[in-house]
Amino acid sequence: MGLWDYNTIKYLQIRSVKLVSLKWSIHGIILAAICVMLFSGKKYQEHDYLVSSVTAKVKGVAVTKDSELGRVLWDVTDHSGSSQGKDSFFVVTNAVVTKNQTQGNCEEGPDSGTICSSNEDCTKEYTNQKSNGVQTGTCVESVKTCEVFAWCPIEERRGAPKPAILESAENFTVFIKNSIGFINFNYTKRNILPDINDTYLRWCIFNRKTDPYCPKFRLGDIVQEAGENFIEMAVEGGVIAIQINWECDLDWLLHKCVPEYSFRRLDEKNDKKTLFPGLNFRFARYFKQNGVEERTLFKVYGIRFDVMVTGKAGRFDLIKLITYIGSTLAYFGVTIIVVDFLLANYIHPSCCKKEVKSYYTGKKYEAVEDQTESPLCISFVDEDHIEVVKGPVKKSLQEMKPASPQVRRLHNESMRECLSFLQRPPSHSEDIEMQEERQTGATSKEHETPPWCRCGQCHPMTSLKEELCCRRSAGQCISTSATFSRLVLDRQTLESVLLYRNPLLDLQAQASTKWLRHCAYHQYTQWRFGDVETDSCAVIPSCSVWKIRERYPSVEGQYTGLCCEKRCLYNMIKVISETGEE
């Protein structure tokens, strides 16, 4: 292949209505799948991911009655004043209160203090992670724990009250404002949609069916949407995710950009399997009484709500559309793979003839083997195709299993030559020879018939490649037919072929018998094989070879035999006719 050579793909066309219907059916399925993916996945759009900001405002007031606290009012500052981080808010639902703590010396409980039996067991200024203060070095014998300097009285270690003191927090509401932007598209939007007015916003509460775009939420509804029970969750607290998803289509005809809300619990709710379940923390309120600083310690339980905003926007882009179409064109190549596979393996004979299928398979999937010997072509007179034998010949060629059958391809010029010779009246000498051959049905020399011969006219050969008969099964030999005599053996026919190739050839020369013999080989090959592959070697049956040799013998009695390096007999005849060399 040269630098300036252009190469193109060669296609094998099979004219079959059923195969064409199968091809277009597969094309239709692929096209439908591509269209579905194009529109459902919006592959024609360019996409951009959002940037977001969130603010939340909780509203609600509750009054609790506790044996320790008494009647207490909890407003927004009390139950939602503590910040828990960006894009989140916290609501108190339960509390353990330790009142009137002052700094001084007091004993600790056994669960948090150091156990002692004397002062020697207590180390002054010692503290640990479980302790509430710093040891004074004194052992309190009544409780058998070390005395500490701390906020006294020490907070009691006890579980969260049941039921929660702020169960009514489920009726609190939260107003969430979410602003988003798609920078690449220069597009901004809020979850307070343009068609929401002030009156509606004052009274609406989110409901998935009736008010799906209202930005005000009842806390009890949020927990219920997450699949939880607010009364149970309020005891020890937990974490709830409020997810806002924006899937925006910014195309003019299909424009849509509205928020979709969903809710789920983030923490582990099973307190039997989880250490330290729920969510709690401590804070204190300080005050002075009679000039002494005191405080009230609150261990509060509650629910933290994390607002998570995700989404993307898409807008038509011609480059994206062209890229998608170009990338999906490769899917149509699946049709070729499927049809070729079915044709080579599973196509029913009603779809195409066995010969066509075999021919197609041989042409489409031609095996190139690493071998030094050329494929051998065989043509039996009792079969209508050519067989090809590949690989080394380890036994008689007659008994070798062919690799694949091929359709005989006859060249138009060769057919015209054969027909013209057959239509020519035979010469007187030719009539006599034909009559003698039909009467005797044998060669002029006696010989031993080899076991691989089927016609009874073959001679023993010097190589396995030449051990070939003209027939697959027993029957009449091709060399005894009138056509063989007219096309292959007739001297006038062979001389006409030689002069056609080289008009100035001297047929009276000494080498004329050699020319006639090789011309007879050429005639037989053109007649029985037609056009063979350039890398193949056409093998003439032994009976025909010896019939030709008997008619046009070698002066020295020596013959080259099968020579595959000179597989193109047309070029051989040309060389002989021009130079007179074998």
Side-chain angles (χ1 to χ4, degrees):
M1 182 178 64
L3 179 64
W4 301 105
D5 293 339
Y6 174 75
N7 301 300
T8 185
I9 300 175
K10 179 182 178 181
Y11 290 97
L12 189 64
Q13 187 179 56
I14 302 178
R15 296 181 178 178
S16 171
V17 176
K18 294 183 179 181
L19 285 180
V20 172
S21 300
L22 176 62
K23 180 193 77 171
W24 286 113
S25 298
I26 299 175
H27 277 341
I29 294 172
I30 294 175
L31 180 61
I34 291 174
C35 292
V36 170
M37 291 189 294
L38 174 65
F39 291 104
S40 63
K42 298 182 179 180
K43 302 296 185 179
Y44 54 86
Q45 289 185 335
E46 177 187 5
H47 294 95
D48 185 26
Y49 292 91
L50 58 76
V51 292
S52 170
S53 67
V54 174
T55 59
K57 184 184 293 184
V58 180
K59 289 188 176 182
V61 177
V63 177
T64 61
K65 292 182 180 181
D66 185 76
S67 59
E68 296 183 1
L69 290 176
R71 183 181 174 87
V72 178
L73 176 69
W74 295 73
D75 62 7
V76 174
T77 305
D78 297 320
H79 60 66
S80 302
S82 300
S83 174
Q84 290 287 310
K86 181 182 177 182
D87 297 342
S88 66
F89 60 93
F90 180 84
V91 177
V92 176
T93 58
N94 207 357
V96 175
V97 181
T98 304
K99 300 173 63 176
N100 302 324
Q101 286 186 318
T102 59
Q103 293 190 22
N105 296 334
C106 55
E107 70 278 2
E108 284 189 303
D111 56 345
S112 60
T114 302
I115 305 299
C116 65
S117 58
S118 64
N119 292 341
E120 295 179 357
D121 296 328
C122 300
T123 304
K124 190 175 182 178
E125 302 298 328
Y126 174 78
T127 185
N128 57 51
Q129 293 181 352
K130 295 175 58 179
S131 178
N132 292 285
V134 180
Q135 293 183 14
T136 61
T138 303
C139 178
V140 182
E141 296 183 358
S142 59
V143 293
K144 301 297 183 182
T145 59
C146 294
E147 184 184 63
V148 293
F149 176 73
W151 286 94
C152 302
I154 300 299
E155 177 191 17
E156 295 183 12
R157 296 297 176 95
R158 58 176 177 171
K162 294 182 181 181
I165 65 175
L166 278 174
E167 288 182 344
S168 58
E170 67 176 331
N171 295 316
F172 294 172
T173 61
V174 58
F175 177 39
I176 299 177
K177 292 191 292 183
N178 176 215
S179 298
I180 63 166
F182 299 100
I183 299 176
N184 292 342
F185 300 146
N186 193 25
Y187 183 87
T188 58
K189 193 72 178 284
R190 294 199 308 167
N191 65 332
I192 304 175
L193 302 180
D195 58 344
I196 296 179
N197 54 39
D198 183 66
T199 303
Y200 174 79
L201 195 58
R202 285 177 182 274
W203 300 105
C204 76
I205 295 293
F206 174 84
N207 184 285
R208 192 168 297 280
K209 295 182 179 180
T210 60
D211 297 285
Y213 302 121
C214 178
K216 289 175 61 179
F217 303 86
R218 179 176 171 271
L219 299 188
D221 295 340
I222 293 176
V223 175
Q224 185 178 4
E225 285 273 349
E228 301 295 332
N229 184 289
F230 189 91
I231 301 301
E232 296 177 357
M233 192 173 182
V235 175
E236 293 183 324
V239 182
I240 295 291
I242 302 175
Q243 297 173 298
I244 307 176
N245 185 43
W246 296 81
E247 291 293 335
C248 298
D249 190 336
L250 304 185
D251 291 336
W252 178 64
L253 292 176
L254 303 175
H255 188 280
K256 181 182 179 182
C257 192
V258 292
E260 295 181 1
Y261 300 96
S262 60
F263 314 90
R264 64 188 182 96
R265 184 168 182 171
L266 297 179
D267 67 312
E268 176 62 57
K269 66 177 181 179
N270 192 341
D271 55 358
K272 295 182 180 180
K273 295 183 179 180
T274 306
L275 295 175
F276 308 107
L279 178 63
N280 64 79
F281 62 91
R282 292 174 174 83
F283 71 92
R285 292 176 181 174
Y286 295 87
F287 58 92
K288 285 188 177 182
Q289 186 172 354
N290 299 326
V292 179
E293 185 180 29
E294 297 184 9
R295 77 176 188 182
T296 300
L297 178 64
F298 294 85
K299 179 182 180 182
V300 295
Y301 300 83
I303 303 175
R304 189 181 76 194
F305 296 88
D306 294 338
V307 184
M308 303 176 179
V309 184
T310 58
K312 63 179 181 179
R315 188 172 62 184
F316 177 80
D317 184 75
L318 182 60
I319 296 178
K320 287 286 185 180
L321 178 61
I322 295 174
T323 303
Y324 175 77
I325 294 175
S327 63
T328 55
L329 289 178
Y331 292 134
F332 289 98
V334 176
T335 303
I336 299 176
I337 298 175
V338 172
V339 174
D340 287 350
F341 177 78
L342 294 177
L343 183 61
N345 297 278
Y346 299 108
I347 289 296
H348 194 269
S350 61
C351 183
C352 60
K353 295 182 179 180
K354 181 179 179 180
E355 292 78 7
V356 176
K357 176 180 176 181
S358 177
Y359 178 72
Y360 170 82
T361 304
K363 288 299 180 182
K364 185 68 177 178
Y365 305 100
E366 184 175 0
V368 179
E369 301 178 1
D370 185 15
Q371 57 183 15
T372 57
E373 299 181 359
S374 302
L376 303 178
C377 294
I378 302 172
S379 176
F380 294 111
V381 70
D382 51 349
E383 293 182 356
D384 193 30
H385 57 267
I386 297 175
E387 294 182 350
V388 179
V389 176
K390 297 181 180 180
V393 179
K394 297 182 180 181
K395 57 183 178 179
S396 172
L397 185 60
Q398 179 76 21
E399 300 173 357
M400 288 291 293
K401 184 178 180 180
S404 61
Q406 293 184 2
V407 178
R408 181 182 290 107
R409 295 177 297 171
L410 299 178
H411 195 274
N412 292 334
E413 182 181 353
S414 300
M415 290 183 64
R416 285 195 298 268
E417 289 182 3
C418 292
L419 291 175
S420 64
F421 291 137
L422 292 175
Q423 292 174 357
R424 179 179 56 80
S427 61
H428 178 68
S429 60
E430 181 182 353
D431 287 338
I432 297 175
E433 293 172 355
M434 291 171 57
Q435 290 177 4
E436 291 178 352
E437 289 177 359
R438 284 195 295 267
Q439 291 175 0
T440 60
T443 59
S444 58
K445 296 181 180 180
E446 294 182 358
H447 63 276
E448 181 183 355
T449 303
W452 43 265
C453 178
R454 301 293 184 269
C455 66
Q457 302 295 323
C458 298
H459 290 224
M461 304 302 289
T462 58
S463 66
L464 295 175
K465 294 181 180 179
E466 297 178 278
E467 293 182 354
L468 179 68
C469 183
C470 64
R471 302 183 61 89
R472 172 69 73 180
S473 58
Q476 182 182 356
C477 181
I478 191 174
S479 65
T480 62
S481 66
T483 305
F484 183 87
S485 299
R486 295 288 299 278
L487 289 178
V488 180
L489 298 180
D490 182 55
R491 186 181 185 92
Q492 184 178 354
T493 299
L494 299 179
E495 290 178 349
S496 299
V497 173
L498 291 173
L499 291 174
Y500 178 79
R501 305 298 182 192
N502 187 355
L504 302 179
L505 185 64
D506 183 10
L507 295 178
Q508 302 301 323
Q510 184 179 0
S512 61
T513 303
K514 181 188 299 184
W515 300 340
L516 293 172
R517 182 171 66 253
H518 285 278
C519 184
Y521 295 153
H522 169 71
Q523 284 291 98
Y524 185 90
T525 304
Q526 290 293 316
W527 171 38
R528 295 302 305 161
F529 291 91
D531 292 334
V532 297
E533 300 291 340
T534 56
D535 61 341
S536 301
C537 180
V539 181
I540 303 175
S542 170
C543 51
S544 300
V545 169
W546 279 103
K547 184 68 70 173
I548 295 172
R549 289 177 179 178
E550 289 173 359
R551 180 63 60 87
Y552 304 104
S554 172
V555 177
E556 298 83 3
Q558 300 294 326
Y559 302 96
T560 305
L562 181 64
C563 187
C564 291
E565 287 73 12
K566 299 178 182 180
R567 61 180 64 88
C568 185
L569 295 179
Y570 175 85
N571 292 335
M572 184 185 297
I573 293 295
K574 183 178 179 180
V575 171
I576 292 174
S577 61
E578 290 179 353
T579 64
E581 298 178 359
E582 184 175 354

